[in-house]
Amino acid sequence: MARIVIDPLTRIEGHLKIEAVVEDGVVKETRSSGMLFRGFELILKGREPMDAQQLTQRVCGVCPTSHAMAATLALDSAFGIADKVPENGRILRNLIQGANYIMSHILHFYHLAALDYVDVTKVAQYEGKDPALQSVRDFIKRAMDAGDTAMLGPFVPRYEGDYRLPDDVDISAVSHYVQALNMRRLAHEMSAIFSGKMPHQVGIVPGGVTETPTIDKITEYLWKLQELRHFIDQVYIPDVVAVAEAYSDYFEIGVGCGNLLSYGVFDLDVEETDLAKRNRLFKQGITSATDLTYRAVDAAKITEEVRSSWYSSPSSLHPSQGETEPDPSKPDAYSWLKSPRYDGQVYEAGPLARMAVNYVAGEPTVQQLINDLLASFGATPAALFSVLGRHAARALECKFVADNMAEWLLQLKPGEPIIAEYRIPSEGEGVGLWEAPRGALGHWIKTEEGKIKNYQIITPTSWNASPADDNGQPGPIEQAITGTKIRDEANPFEIVRIVRSFDPCIACAVHLVSPKGTELGKFRVS
Ligand code: NFE
């Protein structure tokens, strides 16, 4: 029996530790541990409600827009203005959020996950004229000449022995790695056109947005969006397909819990104040690998369990009643993440969940995108529940969102209102159900005497990287790893490829110290 410990698992956001017990080459048990404490719920207590949409963005530099949206939706509902947001406000929120989806998905594929499949060292022999490849080649050469492999980060250290892309595909993927940096800059610039700056934008506020649409801004946004759409169609999706062709066994690796959950995202109107029922581009719903049928979401069925988490607060509370009482010495606990559960069951969140829920709900464009992809691999929808299924769903979703953004942009009406008028009530309660790029995101707020009395956040990675719950049910990433065959225990590609297919983010945490400043934990970062 061997124990594989990957700590920290790099090329994700935040610090995740994975421990896998391997027997006869197969993972028998997995533990996923979030090694940083976030504590935003505690920071927000007693503060002005309007602080929530600014402070919670600091949960993460990758998905701040989603936290702004979830907080703002919670405030919209606590202030009684959820259905008063004007059309321009609704559309601009979607455009600011959509730009962040594109940025995040390109970031994930090229700069976080691709290095599991692409052998960058092949570029050392490059003799062509592509300036991006020349710069990577020179970067590699400098490290080689200096005899210092540490200078090769972020490309090494890495696992060895399973890079399969044909040379030409591999080298062009490295070129796209560099090109993708520019694409992410473009997406950030798009956000900033309507939200002031990125990351941590300032445009999304209760009632709508702060920025007016003008012909100039719409044109500038459209120009950048068209360049990104071209990149998604001509580069990103083909690269995902090329990886899938070379690593097709990963359509069967990393299946996971088989249950998918989406809160829905991108409001198409704001008439419905119950966000679990609101008309959205991505529909709210759940589905399962076993039946692939559509079922509605009931937000009352969400709980957070803490048996395996470093918290002494009660378990199985609905987030509207949630409590955050850290207890770093709790026996048998192994994660700072709580275990969100839906109706007591384990659910995966993310692009696969969104696309699959829309697929089973009958959304025709999503059905066509997925059916075409599956047909090209001779695969059935069951193949979606896998490492490659998650990558493919993310890339196809990126296209679906970007294509819709081009239409939304032309629905803006310069000169018309962008924000509703409102007064902040001294007491209120609200929930913001939304989808961050990585999946279902919920903010729950309660205010009293004009201040935040309670605030709870459940992020997508809390769903996906959660530890075992009160009934011992492992979280989605744990389930996806357990049962996997490991070809080489010294180079456990399978584990990191599975984890990174979920695109986890152990978001914006703080080092944990006691009130006296005593160090309670030490983390090796390499
Ligand atoms: Ni830090 Fe985030 C997204 C949120 S992660 S990246 O997407 O919410 O769980």
Side-chain angles (χ1 to χ4, degrees):
M1 198 161 74
R3 180 178 291 270
I4 298 174
V5 181
I6 307 175
D7 177 21
L9 194 148
T10 54
R11 280 193 277 111
I12 62 164
E13 297 97 342
H15 296 167
L16 179 71
K17 170 179 167 186
I18 295 288
E19 288 183 82
V21 177
V22 182
E23 208 177 301
D24 299 328
V26 176
V27 178
K28 294 290 178 212
E29 194 190 332
T30 311
R31 275 188 167 196
S32 157
S33 304
M35 299 309 284
L36 287 170
F37 173 65
R38 195 179 49 178
F40 270 73
E41 289 84 353
L42 304 179
I43 294 169
L44 285 161
K45 272 193 181 176
R47 300 194 66 118
E48 300 290 326
M50 293 290 278
D51 287 353
Q53 85 48 54
Q54 273 304 309
L55 291 186
T56 61
Q57 288 190 67
R58 271 70 190 173
V59 163
C60 180
V62 177
C63 64
T65 314
S66 316
H67 286 285
M69 274 304 304
T72 298
L73 289 168
L75 292 171
D76 281 348
S77 84
F79 297 171
I81 51 170
D83 55 352
K84 307 282 186 298
V85 177
E87 277 296 90
N88 274 343
R90 173 186 69 77
I91 296 166
L92 285 170
R93 285 176 174 184
N94 286 346
L95 291 171
I96 298 166
Q97 177 68 82
N100 182 244
Y101 262 59
I102 297 174
M103 193 294 297
S104 180
H105 286 0
I106 293 175
L107 158 72
H108 172 256
F109 184 69
Y110 285 100
H111 303 130
L112 300 178
L115 295 176
D116 290 340
Y117 308 94
V118 176
D119 181 0
V120 180
T121 61
K122 283 186 181 164
V123 177
Q125 311 307 326
Y126 181 70
E127 290 178 347
K129 294 204 176 342
D130 178 341
L133 288 170
Q134 287 175 341
S135 69
V136 175
R137 179 200 59 201
D138 295 346
F139 173 81
I140 294 173
K141 272 195 172 159
R142 269 198 302 278
M144 296 301 186
D145 292 347
D148 182 1
T149 49
M151 285 169 62
L152 277 172
F155 304 133
V156 297
R158 62 178 195 177
Y159 294 139
E160 300 291 350
D162 188 28
Y163 295 101
R164 309 181 203 162
L165 291 178
D167 286 2
D168 57 333
V169 178
D170 191 285
I171 287 174
S172 81
V174 178
S175 169
H176 300 157
Y177 177 103
V178 179
Q179 205 183 332
L181 291 167
N182 279 326
M183 293 301 128
R184 284 170 54 199
R185 178 175 50 77
L186 269 186
H188 268 335
E189 286 171 358
M190 273 163 57
S191 283
I193 290 169
F194 291 127
S195 70
K197 70 185 186 69
M198 267 305 277
H200 306 131
Q201 55 74 42
V202 289
I204 294 170
V205 290
V209 295
T210 57
E211 190 68 31
T212 52
T214 62
I215 300 297
D216 276 2
K217 288 176 203 158
I218 293 170
T219 312
E220 191 186 349
Y221 187 103
L222 183 59
W223 178 83
K224 293 175 195 293
L225 177 60
Q226 297 301 64
E227 195 167 338
L228 281 163
R229 289 175 74 196
H230 181 80
F231 180 82
I232 295 163
D233 290 346
Q234 304 301 323
V235 179
Y236 178 19
I237 293 175
D239 279 348
V240 172
V241 169
V243 165
E245 281 167 354
Y247 297 84
S248 58
D249 45 329
Y250 278 83
F251 271 122
E252 287 166 17
I253 294 174
V255 173
C257 64
N259 295 328
L260 303 173
L261 162 88
S262 167
Y263 294 159
V265 65
F266 298 115
D267 289 337
L268 298 180
D269 62 58
V270 295
E271 283 161 29
E272 174 60 65
T273 55
D274 179 349
L275 299 183
K277 298 189 181 136
R278 185 172 271 187
N279 182 19
R280 290 180 159 171
L281 177 70
F282 284 97
K283 211 170 158 54
Q284 308 84 335
I286 57 173
T287 189
S288 295
T290 45
D291 57 16
L292 282 175
T293 56
Y294 173 80
R295 292 184 291 284
V297 160
D298 177 358
K301 292 183 175 171
I302 299 165
T303 54
E304 278 200 299
E305 307 191 356
V306 298
R307 191 187 82 170
S308 305
S309 315
W310 285 304
Y311 297 95
S312 56
S313 19
S315 197
S316 219
L317 298 176
H318 185 267
S320 62
Q321 312 295 323
E323 295 178 26
T324 306
E325 195 59 53
D327 178 5
S329 51
K330 181 171 165 181
D332 299 329
Y334 62 91
S335 183
W336 282 112
L337 273 62
K338 296 181 181 176
S339 302
R341 295 293 183 257
Y342 181 83
D343 207 11
Q345 302 301 310
V346 182
Y347 275 80
E348 173 179 338
L352 173 61
R354 283 190 289 269
M355 291 295 274
V357 165
N358 260 23
Y359 183 90
V360 296
E363 208 293 326
T365 310
V366 168
Q367 287 196 332
Q368 184 167 357
L369 285 169
I370 289 183
N371 286 339
D372 287 353
L373 177 101
L374 292 173
S376 68
F377 286 94
T380 64
L384 293 170
F385 294 80
S386 66
V387 167
L388 289 177
R390 290 185 194 96
H391 285 296
R394 195 173 287 109
L396 295 178
E397 160 177 284
C398 197
K399 173 182 172 53
F400 182 57
V401 171
D403 290 353
N404 275 279
M405 285 161 65
E407 290 176 26
W408 297 335
L409 196 59
L410 302 178
Q411 292 163 9
L412 288 168
K413 297 205 170 71
E416 295 205 358
I418 52 170
I419 190 164
E421 283 188 21
Y422 59 92
R423 280 177 179 276
I424 300 177
S426 65
E427 290 193 3
E429 209 166 331
V431 51
L433 297 178
W434 192 243
E435 288 275 320
R438 283 154 197 76
L441 172 66
H443 285 208
W444 286 260
I445 188 171
K446 197 177 280 178
T447 61
E448 233 176 63
E449 296 177 7
K451 300 278 193 266
I452 296 175
K453 181 164 167 43
N454 202 15
Y455 205 98
Q456 288 290 316
I457 301 171
I458 303 184
T459 64
T461 297
S462 297
W463 287 95
N464 291 337
S466 60
D469 58 30
D470 293 4
N471 294 316
Q473 299 179 102
I477 287 179
E478 293 178 331
Q479 291 194 32
I481 295 172
T482 300
T484 303
K485 275 197 198 130
I486 307 294
R487 280 193 340 173
D488 172 7
E489 286 165 18
N491 292 284
F493 274 107
E494 295 84 356
I495 294 178
V496 292
R497 285 172 179 162
I498 290 171
V499 173
R500 292 195 184 108
S501 73
F502 284 87
D503 191 6
C505 168
I506 315 303
C508 259
V510 294
H511 290 276
L512 188 64
V513 291
S514 76
K516 288 183 185 152
T518 318
E519 192 177 79
L520 299 175
K522 214 171 196 169
F523 305 102
R524 180 177 56 82
V525 181
S526 57

